[in-house]
């Protein structure tokens, strides 16, 4: 702009100079005529009107020339401004990434920028002068004409999107068309600015499909699913399975908390719910009782995942009804307890012997101490030894009673690292007296340096007691002098420890071998047929297995495989 103003100033000074020059020439002509010789008479005197007319004509011509020069210069300056503006406009248009296209109401292209040409892979000469409708698929012509009609009627911008195919690829385009209106309010042409939004479109399409899949899974899932906002614990949405299970309509549920809906069974559960919301942690298989309308109590297994939905974190809570499973587990626990009681019934003599032995020893030691104290010089060393023996026998009797109480009481499975050989020794001690009464010789063969196993001590001991009692029962038809049991432990591969109970009885018949672990199947006259079935379920609950096979030389062997404790 500085350059243009300076140039205009110089041109103005030139015009002014021409005006002064013309005026000076006219003045000189008049002065010369006035200074002519008086003798002959001056030109002015002889022809005053002619000279004045000539002078005026010269002045007018000078002014006209000056005006023409000024007009010409102004036009040149205006043309320079327009040219400069066009150059700047073209520079801006050509250097931007958006595609720019101008076209007439009949869709004839009048201008396209380089970005437009690059995107469509065509030179400018091929596009300008052609109808842009030819570049669109035929099925989009109607939409393009409708857009033209709207712009002509409303003289407002027209945003739209469409898909075209370029070099075999599907391209998604976003355009905004503007009517170009002159000072009379007439539409001269249209300008369209577009951009390639293929990536964004694919991302949005993938998001839409993902949301549709989520919605399909959400609505059609048999699991009760609720979406809970983390900030306030209120339900954002629930699926039909949730409505059916909780017997609460979706309209009633949305916007309420589980506490407000009365689903939380206790105050403690409500506090845990608040802590859970604040933690933001996921849950997997969390079991929780819930109250249903009408006072029914049901058990749910819940899996919760925190994900962003609608710009804020929400928990997706998937719930499965495990009430029947819980009832079956409780029934199973009752059966396990009943089986343990049956085992204890069979071990009554052994338990009595286990308790009576230390009690008898305590009595004998106490009587001996009394005799020593009656002497004039009792031996303190002997008395200390007697007291130590009494303490040891008391602990022994207490351990027996403790094991019996553990077996009798209800017991939830508690996994812990265990030494298998130690556990086997405890089980053998509990049946040792019964073995002596029935003339059974029991031998233990333990592998040394066994790794620890992971399991519940009470339940594994129950399995071992059941196997030992069954083995003793299998020896009833064997002569007293030949009844033998062998309890072994061994390392089996890198991840397993095996214990086996081998007897030299008559073995299992083919029918019994097929059904030996079935519930309610028994070969005993007074048996319930639950011991081995429960033993196998306990083994499987520990990630192990229980098998049975006949020995080549007679009798049978039961093998319990348990995984090594993973530190």
């Amino acid at each position: 702009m500085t350059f243009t103003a300076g140039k205009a100033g110089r041109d103005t000074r030139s015009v002014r100079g021409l005006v002064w020059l013309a005026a000076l020439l006219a003045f000189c002509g008049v002065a010369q005529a006035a200074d002519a010789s008086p003798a002959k008479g001056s030109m002015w005197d002889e022809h005053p009107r002619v000279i004045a007319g000539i002078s005026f004509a010269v002045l007018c011509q000078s002014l006209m020339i000056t005006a023409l020069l000024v007009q010409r210069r102004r036009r040149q300056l205006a043309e320079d401004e327009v040219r400069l503006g066009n150059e700047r406009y073209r520079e801006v248009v050509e250097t931007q990434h958006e595609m720019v296209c101008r076209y007439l109401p009949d869709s004839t292209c009048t201008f396209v920028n380089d970005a437009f040409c690059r995107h469509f892979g065509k030179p400018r000469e091929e596009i300008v002068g052609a109808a842009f409708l030819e570049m669109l698929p035929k099925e989009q012509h109607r939409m393009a004409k409708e857009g033209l009609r709207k712009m002509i009627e409303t003289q407002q911008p027209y945003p739209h999107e469409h898909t075209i195919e370029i070099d075999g690829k599907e391209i998604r385009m976003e355009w905004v068309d503007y009517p170009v209106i002159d000072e009379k309010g007439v539409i001269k042409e249209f300008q369209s600015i577009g951009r390639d939004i293929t990536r964004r479109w694919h991302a949005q399409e993938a998001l839409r499909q993902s949301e549709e899949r989520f919605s399909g899974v959400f609505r059609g899932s048999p699991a009760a699913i609720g979406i809970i906002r983390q900030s306030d614990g209120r339900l954002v949405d629930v699926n039909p399975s949730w409505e059916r299970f909780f017997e609460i309509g979706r309209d009633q549920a949305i916007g309420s908390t589980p506490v407000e809906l009365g689903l939380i069974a206790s105050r403690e559960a409500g506090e845990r719910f608040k802590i859970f919301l604040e933690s933001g942690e996921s849950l997997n298989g969390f079991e929780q009782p819930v109250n249903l309308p009408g006072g029914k109590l049901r058990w749910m297994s819940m899996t919760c995942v925190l994900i962003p939905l609608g710009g804020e974190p929400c928990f997706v809570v998937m719930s499965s009804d495990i009430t029947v499973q819980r009832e079956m587990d409780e029934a199973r626990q009752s059966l396990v307890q009943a089986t343990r009681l049956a085992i204890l019934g069979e071990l009554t003599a052994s338990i009595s012997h286990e308790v009576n032995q230390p009690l008898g020893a305590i009595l004998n030691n106490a009587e001996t101490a009394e005799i020593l104290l009656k002497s004039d010089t009792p031996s303190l060393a002997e008395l200390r030894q007697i007291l130590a023996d009494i303490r040891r026998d008391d602990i022994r009797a207490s351990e027996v009673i403790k094991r019996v109480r553990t077996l009798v009481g209800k017991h939830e499975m508690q996994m812990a690292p265990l030494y298998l050989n130690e556990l086997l020794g405890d089980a053998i001690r509990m049946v040792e007296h019964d073995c002596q009464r029935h003339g059974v010789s029991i031998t233990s063969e333990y592998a040394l340096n066994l790794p620890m196993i992971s399991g519940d001590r009470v339940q594994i001991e129950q399995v071992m007691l059941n196997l030992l009692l069954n083995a003793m029962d299998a020896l009833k038809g064997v002569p007293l002098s030949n009844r033998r049991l062998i309890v072994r432990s061994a390392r089996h591969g890198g991840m397993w420890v095996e214990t086996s109970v081998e007897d030299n009885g008559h073995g299992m018949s083919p029918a019994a071998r097929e059904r030996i672990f079935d519930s309610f199947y028994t070969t005993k006259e007074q048996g319930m047929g639950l011991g081995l079935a429960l033993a196998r379920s306990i083994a499987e609950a520990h990630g192990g297995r229980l098998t049975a096979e006949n020995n080549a030389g007679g009798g049978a062997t039961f093998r319990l495989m348990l995984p090594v404790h993973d530190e």
Side-chain angles (χ1 to χ4, degrees):
M1 295 300 294
T2 304
F3 170 78
T4 304
K7 198 171 182 180
R10 289 196 299 272
D11 294 337
T12 302
R13 289 193 294 271
S14 299
V15 171
R16 289 176 180 173
L18 291 173
V19 173
W20 282 107
L21 178 60
L24 181 60
L25 290 174
F27 177 76
C28 291
V30 173
Q32 184 178 7
D35 290 341
S37 174
K40 297 180 179 180
S42 66
M43 292 287 291
W44 179 263
D45 293 335
E46 296 180 0
H47 307 287
R49 292 184 179 179
V50 174
I51 294 174
I54 293 172
S55 299
F56 180 75
V58 170
L59 180 59
C60 289
Q61 287 180 351
S62 299
L63 292 174
M64 289 180 61
I65 293 171
T66 302
L68 290 172
L69 290 172
V70 169
Q71 184 179 4
R72 179 183 177 185
R73 188 58 191 163
R74 286 178 177 174
R75 185 173 66 250
Q76 184 177 356
L77 290 173
E79 291 174 352
D80 290 344
E81 290 289 344
V82 171
R83 179 181 56 78
L84 184 60
N86 288 337
E87 290 177 355
R88 289 174 176 171
Y89 172 78
R90 184 177 295 276
E91 181 179 356
V92 171
V93 169
E94 295 297 352
T95 56
Q96 66 179 349
H97 296 290
E98 285 82 3
M99 291 164 279
V100 179
C101 172
R102 282 206 171 199
Y103 58 92
L104 299 175
D106 63 356
S107 84
T108 300
C109 290
T110 59
F111 170 80
V112 290
N113 67 343
D114 288 343
F116 191 99
C117 297
R118 285 194 304 270
H119 189 82
F120 288 95
K122 294 183 179 181
R124 183 177 282 105
E125 295 77 13
E126 185 178 339
I127 300 174
V128 174
F132 79 85
L133 284 176
E134 298 177 0
M135 302 179 65
L136 298 176
K138 289 184 178 180
E139 58 269 17
Q140 296 181 7
H141 287 190
R142 182 177 179 181
M143 179 190 71
K145 292 177 180 178
E146 180 66 17
L148 276 172
R149 185 188 64 78
K150 287 182 179 180
M151 284 191 291
I152 292 172
E153 290 179 356
T154 64
Q155 295 191 350
Q156 296 295 320
Y158 172 62
H160 59 97
E161 293 182 13
H162 66 85
T163 303
I164 61 173
E165 187 174 309
I166 300 177
D167 297 331
K169 296 181 179 179
E170 192 176 53
I171 306 297
R172 186 72 176 179
M173 307 292 296
E174 179 184 68
W175 297 91
V176 179
D177 291 17
Y178 302 87
V180 180
I181 304 172
D182 61 14
E183 62 276 3
K184 297 181 180 179
V186 178
I187 296 177
K188 297 169 53 179
E189 57 183 351
F190 301 93
Q191 177 167 297
S192 183
I193 300 177
R195 58 181 59 88
D196 185 343
I197 60 168
T198 305
R199 289 185 179 179
R200 187 182 76 189
W201 181 63
H202 282 314
Q204 292 174 342
E205 185 66 15
L207 178 61
R208 183 188 63 79
Q209 293 178 0
S210 176
E211 290 176 347
E212 287 181 355
R213 287 193 295 270
F214 174 78
S215 178
V217 172
F218 179 74
R219 297 295 173 195
S221 175
I225 304 178
I227 301 176
I228 299 177
R229 192 163 45 232
Q230 185 189 17
S231 59
D232 56 10
R234 299 190 178 278
L235 286 160
V236 177
D237 202 356
V238 296
N239 70 343
S241 296
W242 191 99
E243 295 181 81
R244 287 192 296 271
F245 179 82
F246 291 102
E247 301 177 8
I248 298 174
R250 181 171 179 268
D251 294 338
Q252 180 184 353
I254 293 177
S256 301
T257 68
V259 176
E260 293 171 348
L261 293 173
L263 300 177
I264 302 298
S266 64
R267 180 178 297 178
E268 291 78 13
E271 292 298 325
R272 288 198 301 270
F273 178 69
K274 291 180 181 178
I275 295 172
F276 159 69
L277 288 175
E278 294 172 357
S279 69
E281 296 180 355
S282 299
L283 295 176
N284 187 16
F286 177 73
E287 296 183 2
Q288 174 74 34
V290 294
N291 286 324
L292 298 186
K296 292 183 292 185
L297 181 68
R298 307 289 286 180
W299 278 88
M300 302 294 291
S301 175
M302 292 181 289
T303 298
C304 309
V305 181
L306 185 66
I307 61 173
L309 287 176
E312 57 184 341
C314 295
F315 284 101
V316 177
V317 183
M318 293 166 282
S319 305
S320 299
D321 185 3
I322 59 169
T323 305
V324 175
Q325 180 181 338
R326 291 278 301 198
E327 292 173 349
M328 291 178 63
D329 287 343
E330 290 178 2
R332 178 180 171 276
Q333 288 293 332
S334 298
L335 285 174
V336 170
Q337 186 181 6
T339 305
R340 286 202 294 263
L341 291 173
I343 291 173
L344 290 176
E346 295 185 42
L347 293 175
T348 300
S350 291
I351 293 170
S352 298
H353 177 75
E354 281 284 303
V355 175
N356 284 331
Q357 266 193 336
L359 291 179
I362 290 171
L363 179 60
N364 290 334
N365 281 319
E367 291 175 347
T368 302
E370 287 179 351
I371 294 172
L372 287 173
L373 289 172
K374 289 178 181 179
S375 65
D376 295 335
T377 56
S379 173
L380 295 179
E382 290 185 20
L383 288 172
R384 290 191 187 96
Q385 183 61 46
I386 289 172
L387 290 174
D389 291 342
I390 290 174
R391 182 182 296 108
R392 184 181 64 253
D393 290 331
D394 180 84
I395 293 173
R396 179 182 170 189
S398 177
E399 287 295 326
V400 173
I401 295 171
K402 182 179 178 181
R403 285 204 303 271
V404 171
R405 290 182 62 185
T406 303
L407 285 170
V408 171
K410 286 190 174 181
H411 177 77
E412 296 290 336
M413 190 166 73
Q414 298 176 353
M415 303 295 285
L418 303 171
Y419 288 106
L420 181 61
N421 289 345
E422 179 184 321
L423 190 148
L424 294 177
D426 290 342
I428 289 174
R429 278 192 294 274
M430 291 193 73
V431 300
E432 204 165 27
H433 183 70
D434 270 28
C435 287
Q436 293 174 3
R437 287 196 310 120
H438 293 90
V440 177
S441 171
I442 185 166
T443 306
S444 57
E445 298 178 1
Y446 300 155
L448 300 178
N449 300 321
L450 283 179
M452 299 180 78
I453 62 171
S454 182
D456 181 283
R457 184 182 189 89
V458 174
Q459 291 195 4
I460 295 177
E461 189 172 288
Q462 178 181 346
V463 173
M464 292 309 305
L465 288 173
N466 188 279
L467 296 181
L468 289 169
L469 291 174
N470 280 347
M472 290 170 57
D473 190 70
L475 295 172
K476 286 183 177 179
V478 178
L480 289 175
S481 60
N482 197 32
R483 296 179 180 179
R484 296 190 303 274
L485 288 182
I486 303 175
V487 179
R488 296 186 177 93
S489 65
R491 182 82 177 259
H492 191 89
M495 302 300 296
W496 300 90
V497 173
E498 177 187 280
T499 181
S500 61
V501 177
E502 178 183 330
D503 66 69
N504 64 334
H506 299 293
M508 298 174 288
S509 66
R513 186 177 178 183
E514 291 293 327
R515 301 186 58 193
I516 194 69
F517 294 109
D518 290 352
S519 298
F520 305 109
Y521 176 79
T522 181
T523 58
K524 302 177 183 179
E525 292 182 2
Q526 303 298 326
M528 294 185 297
L530 293 173
L532 288 176
L534 287 172
R536 170 171 273 190
S537 69
I538 290 172
E540 292 174 349
H542 282 73
R545 59 181 181 271
L546 180 63
T547 60
E549 60 188 30
N550 283 326
N551 301 327
T557 298
F558 284 77
R559 302 182 189 277
L560 174 64
M561 302 279 290
L562 294 170
V564 172
H565 173 62
D566 185 7
E567 298 181 357

